[in-house]
Amino acid sequence: MDDRTYRYADGPTTEVERLVAASPGDVWAVVVDITMPARFSTELQEATWCDDAPGPALGARFVGRNRHPVVGEWETTSTVVELVANERFGWDVGDPECPAARWRFTLEPADGGTRLTQWVQLGPGRSGLSPAIEAMPDKESRIIANRLAEHRANMEATLTGIAAAAERTAAAP
């Protein structure tokens, strides 16, 4: 855990990045598969498109089913709010006007491959952290730091999995 002081109202963030030995197009195909992170995350168990959406499009929604050892199981509905082929894919959890979290993938050509970054911002809307922070306001910074560390670990595992899948595709004849 780091020594920073976190406040939920400030929209704390974390991000991870990885160089992938594949083109942005090969990486993109894996990034926009919303089922992919569930293969690697200890928390996200499943993601499915809503409203008969065939795949990613601005305004498309999907449901994520999650599990955490402390909180149990829950579902969230997310809305795709950013979609630029081979560059950016992002969604907001809950109400897009005041989301519980914002998630983004960015892809940039780099060193003969793709620099892939995953980023998350907590808040500004209420989330599962809100009741814990309200019950223990003196521990807000620690609660947030722990949550960001959990997200970072899952994001690192996700990027490793995405990289492996994209690199297999890139290496295929």
Side-chain angles (χ1 to χ4, degrees):
M1 183 161 51
D2 61 44
D3 295 331
R4 288 182 276 186
T5 299
Y6 294 102
R7 291 180 16 92
Y8 192 80
D10 295 336
T13 66
T14 192
E15 72 178 34
V16 298
E17 72 175 41
R18 180 181 181 104
L19 186 60
V20 182
S23 70
D26 288 335
V27 176
W28 178 257
V30 182
V31 163
V32 295
D33 175 357
I34 61 163
T35 68
M36 183 62 73
R39 298 178 196 168
F40 310 108
S41 173
T42 60
E43 187 169 307
L44 179 65
Q45 303 299 298
E46 178 182 42
T48 55
W49 290 107
C50 301
D51 310 321
D52 297 323
L58 284 176
R61 298 178 321 125
F62 62 91
V63 172
R65 189 173 55 78
N66 304 279
R67 180 181 310 133
H68 188 280
V70 175
V71 180
E73 293 191 15
W74 72 98
E75 289 187 350
T76 59
T77 300
S78 297
T79 304
V80 175
V81 296
E82 195 168 354
L83 187 70
V84 178
N86 302 327
E87 293 180 19
R88 293 189 308 275
F89 178 50
W91 62 92
D92 288 351
V93 179
D95 178 359
E97 297 299 316
C98 191
R102 293 182 166 114
W103 291 86
R104 303 291 184 270
F105 282 104
T106 58
L107 297 77
E108 298 176 33
D111 300 323
T114 304
R115 181 167 317 288
L116 176 62
T117 304
Q118 187 177 17
W119 171 91
V120 65
Q121 176 185 32
L122 304 180
R126 288 184 61 79
S127 74
L129 288 182
S130 300
I133 292 168
E134 289 163 359
M136 299 175 283
D138 57 316
K139 295 183 175 149
E140 177 177 15
S141 186
R142 192 167 88 200
I143 290 166
I144 293 168
N146 288 338
R147 188 63 174 139
L148 290 174
E150 290 173 337
H151 280 322
R152 198 168 27 259
N154 279 312
M155 292 160 59
E156 287 170 355
T158 296
L159 291 195
T160 297
I162 288 171
E167 289 167 356
R168 276 193 305 273
T169 299

